Amino acid sequence: MKTAIVTGANGFIGSHIVYRLLAQGGRVYALGRSTATSPWRDRVMAALGEVGSLTDPHGKLECHEVDLNAPDLRLDFVSRKDYSPAETTLFHVAGDTRFTPPDPALQRQVNVQAAVQVINALKGKIATAIHVSTAYVAGNRTGLIRESELDCGQEFRNSYEKSKFDAEVLLTEHCRRQDVALVIVRPGIITNDRESGRASTFTHLNALVEVISRIQDHYHLADGQVVSERIRLMADPAARPNLAPVDSIIPPLLQIAESAAAWGKTFHLCHPQPQSNVQLVELISEVFKVKGKLALEYLASIPRPMSRTEEMILRSLKPYGPYLNSRCEFDLSQSRSIVPDYDSHFTQLDVPYIQKIVEVQRQNRK
């Protein structure tokens, strides 16, 4: 593609998409808002700086101040003479990803209505629309989740899942009526960059690392020291949370976005061989040099009394528990049909990767 419009360009996924498109020589229009302290362009450039170093993104990157929630949304740049609708793809990434937002109605406005408003504002001005959803529109289902499935009568764990589900339903129908080529991509749990260990948002792996960091701070422990030889974890040891580094996800996503064979379809962007909770805990224990020094017991629920360490772990990981203990397996047949080497983009999480995450978080805590 020659031109891309990206909403949420300052976010974790959005910034990686923008970075790779610019690195490939594409033109990118980044849409979003300033904050009280940071202009929109500064927010985008800061996010891109977290991804890597670009030689000269300024000639190909345009940052436009836009309120995606505005009912009368206007995108004036699409009327310029140098703008080519046939060569332009929309990546709608912007959204409110909080599991328990203070205002669920506002989250719904951001995740559902704003998506439709962007499509309306770009009617006749784009060739394709890529909508970034989540694999967890599956809700609390277990077993094999097919890419072609959506409404299976599932219940949802939080308002975020429900809003992304509703957005898929509404956008599919809306784009059909507007004759827009819609492609839906559903990432699993996206984690830190493999090269740098960085993440611009607080990911599930960051949460696991942060728990141990807080315990170390609380008890004034160094790596290799433990406060208790026995710790009970409210976790399913065999569950395989679908964790995938962001730099594994973005290349297949961009290949799917460039394929006309993807139009009208939905694609899971998930790790093909996720590791179990036991494997993840062992990796983290090895990084913190406590492997073999702890007797870990995995329980469905932890009877009281709990140790202070157990209470701290339970409290810190509570929002992530349903995902860490998920028993879903995500079908990848459509993703593999467009990206034949899909599985090669993914590696097993290992000690060096976790170590990078720990080092980044420790640096950020200073």
Side-chain angles (χ1 to χ4, degrees), residues 25-46:
R27 175 179 294 278
V28 177
Y29 300 94
L31 311 186
R33 289 187 294 179
S34 302
T35 65
T37 57
S38 299
W40 170 237
R41 183 176 183 84
D42 289 354
R43 296 180 70 193
V44 174
M45 295 307 296

Side-chain angles (χ1 to χ4, degrees), residues 70-296:
D72 57 344
L73 178 63
R74 293 182 60 187
L75 303 174
D76 294 334
F77 64 86
V78 299
S79 60
R80 293 182 346 198
K81 290 183 178 179
D82 64 344
Y83 181 89
S84 174
E87 299 177 343
T88 303
T89 298
L90 167 68
F91 291 85
H92 182 58
V93 191
D96 184 342
T97 61
R98 290 173 293 182
F99 298 153
T100 54
D103 186 348
L106 179 58
Q107 182 183 59
R108 180 176 177 80
Q109 168 65 34
V110 171
N111 290 350
V112 184
Q113 276 79 24
V116 173
Q117 285 162 194
V118 171
I119 295 293
N120 284 339
L122 292 171
K123 183 179 180 181
K125 302 296 184 181
I126 54 175
T128 318
I130 313 298
H131 175 66
V132 179
S133 184
T134 172
Y136 294 95
V137 291
N140 62 359
R141 295 174 60 198
T142 59
L144 181 65
I145 310 298
R146 299 193 181 279
E147 292 165 299
S148 57
E149 296 173 333
L150 181 58
D151 189 354
C152 297
Q154 66 268 44
E155 295 181 354
F156 299 96
R157 303 178 183 94
N158 50 56
S159 62
Y160 167 67
E161 291 182 350
K162 181 62 164 62
S163 67
K164 298 301 282 188
F165 169 91
D166 288 342
E168 283 198 28
V169 172
L170 191 60
L171 271 179
T172 298
E173 178 58 25
H174 189 73
C175 288
R176 185 189 63 78
R177 292 199 305 267
Q178 298 275 22
D179 197 26
V180 172
L182 175 67
V183 177
I184 296 173
V185 292
R186 296 177 183 158
I189 301 169
I190 297 183
T191 63
N192 307 51
D193 184 278
R194 285 179 298 187
E195 184 67 27
S196 67
R198 293 175 179 171
S200 60
T201 57
F202 203 70
T203 73
H204 290 63
L205 272 182
N206 291 87
L208 290 167
V209 169
E210 182 67 13
V211 167
I212 299 177
S213 298
R214 289 178 185 175
I215 291 172
Q216 286 183 325
D217 290 347
H218 181 82
Y219 292 106
H220 305 289
L221 301 174
D223 288 353
Q225 293 180 304
V226 298
V227 69
S228 173
E229 293 183 354
R230 176 177 178 262
I231 296 179
R232 297 171 296 175
L233 300 174
M234 200 169 77
D236 180 348
R240 297 179 178 272
N242 201 284
L243 308 179
V246 65
D247 49 319
S248 293
I249 294 294
I250 301 303
L253 188 158
L254 293 180
Q255 281 185 254
I256 290 168
E258 291 179 347
S259 173
W263 294 359
K265 297 178 182 177
T266 299
F267 302 86
H268 283 147
L269 293 173
C270 300
H271 200 298
Q273 295 181 317
Q275 288 146 286
S276 69
N277 281 327
V278 167
Q279 291 171 312
L280 294 172
V281 170
E282 285 183 351
L283 287 175
I284 294 171
S285 298
E286 188 170 345
V287 169
F288 283 94
K289 301 179 182 178
V290 296
K291 187 175 180 180
K293 298 183 179 182
L294 294 171
L296 298 173

Side-chain angles (χ1 to χ4, degrees), residues 333-350:
S333 57
Q334 294 191 160
S335 292
R336 286 169 172 150
S337 70
I338 301 295
V339 187
D341 64 341
Y342 179 90
D343 290 23
S344 69
H345 291 281
F346 297 82
T347 58
Q348 293 290 285
L349 309 188
D350 56 18

Side-chain angles (χ1 to χ4, degrees), residues 8-70:
N10 65 313
F12 190 32
I13 303 175
S15 60
H16 277 77
I17 290 174
V18 171
Y19 184 91
R20 285 190 177 260
L21 290 173
L22 291 172
Q24 293 169 5
R27 175 179 294 278
V28 177
Y29 300 94
L31 311 186
R33 289 187 294 179
S34 302
T35 65
T37 57
S38 299
W40 170 237
R41 183 176 183 84
D42 289 354
R43 296 180 70 193
V44 174
M45 295 307 296
L48 291 176
E50 288 289 309
V51 181
S53 178
L54 285 170
T55 305
D56 181 23
H58 303 282
K60 293 289 187 177
L61 174 65
E62 294 188 21
C63 297
H64 293 269
E65 184 89 16
V66 172
D67 181 1
L68 300 178
N69 295 319

Side-chain angles (χ1 to χ4, degrees), residues 295-315:
L296 298 173
E297 186 177 0
Y298 294 85
L299 300 171
S301 62
I302 303 177
R304 294 186 179 275
M306 283 190 251
S307 68
R308 184 169 293 181
T309 300
E310 290 169 341
E311 288 179 345
M312 191 179 299
I313 292 172
L314 184 63
R315 182 170 59 252

